[in-house]
Amino acid sequence: MGNAVVKSYCEGIRIMPNQKAVVLLSGGMDSATLLYYLLDQKWDVHALSVHYGQRHSRELIAATDIARAANIQHEIVDLRHIKRLLKGSSQTDDVPVPEGHYEDPSMKVTVVPNRNMILLSLAAAMAIGIGAKTVAYAAHAGDHAIYPDCRPEFVGAMRTVMELCHYDGGVELRAPFLHLSKATIVKTGLRLKVPYESTYTCYSGRERPDGTCGTCVERLEAFKLAGATDPVEYEAKETK
Ligand SMILES: [Zn+2]
């Protein structure tokens, strides 16, 4: 599928007041921003979070806090047993979490095998169950270097599959941040008053983020580029 086609599928979200959408809410800053973005567009948002045995399950507490603050319906599904199948990733297996830049090739070890297809499948099923026609997820341009299941080609292909997964056109997949940088997401979120202090991004899963893993580095960089300060308290003081 050509990029132009994928782009037209995914850019922007039409304003359809009170239409139901399921958003995959990880507890991180991208999906929290997406949630507020959809609410700002007057969507009737229902959130889904999944415990798949991730090291950073601390993010599920963050997801709960974010959904509560936004006063929306939130499902957390416990699928910890599938961790047995998700081998080779630092996030689900006994593999050290790498430090360094988010786009460094060493970060490939943080890829959870086929995670987003699994999560999007569940979101599609939930959407059908509650009569929603749309699933939204927060893949963005910064993810493309390392994460195959965040790339435009993947999103376009999943969109096709999800349209075919049920009667009457199935479910529409939207990824409005697909071509945006994380700094632009931060700027958007600050405008929408996303409670970034409640979000959790770190791969370590420790109570306080370390400020040194790839995703912490990326987050801090995004705030800096956006000309803002990350309100989250970090373990390490020598953060970039
Ligand atoms: Zn970290």
Side-chain angles (χ1 to χ4, degrees), residues 77-136:
V77 179
D78 187 349
L79 291 181
R80 274 176 283 184
H81 291 304
I82 70 170
K83 180 181 172 178
R84 296 207 303 271
L85 309 178
L86 306 177
K87 295 188 188 305
S89 169
S90 63
Q91 301 317 111
T92 48
D93 205 351
D94 193 14
V95 175
V97 176
E99 293 196 350
H101 195 271
Y102 189 69
E103 295 189 6
D104 189 272
S106 66
M107 291 299 148
K108 285 182 179 168
V109 77
T110 66
V111 176
V112 177
N114 196 33
R115 180 186 61 183
N116 289 351
M117 192 191 288
I118 295 168
L119 299 185
L120 288 167
S121 293
L122 294 169
M126 176 175 159
I128 291 164
I130 65 170
K133 296 294 288 179
T134 300
V135 165

Side-chain angles (χ1 to χ4, degrees), residues 22-26 28-35 38 102 116 120 135-144 149-150 155 173-182 185:
V22 172
V23 61
L24 279 172
L25 185 66
S26 70
M29 54 173 285
D30 306 321
S31 61
T33 308
L34 179 59
L35 167 59
L38 293 167
Y102 189 69
N116 289 351
L120 288 167
V135 165
Y137 93 128
H140 62 87
D143 292 327
H144 299 171
D149 56 1
C150 294
V155 174
L173 176 61
R174 290 273 170 178
F177 298 164
L178 192 61
H179 299 285
L180 301 185
S181 70
K182 201 160 179 106
I185 292 172

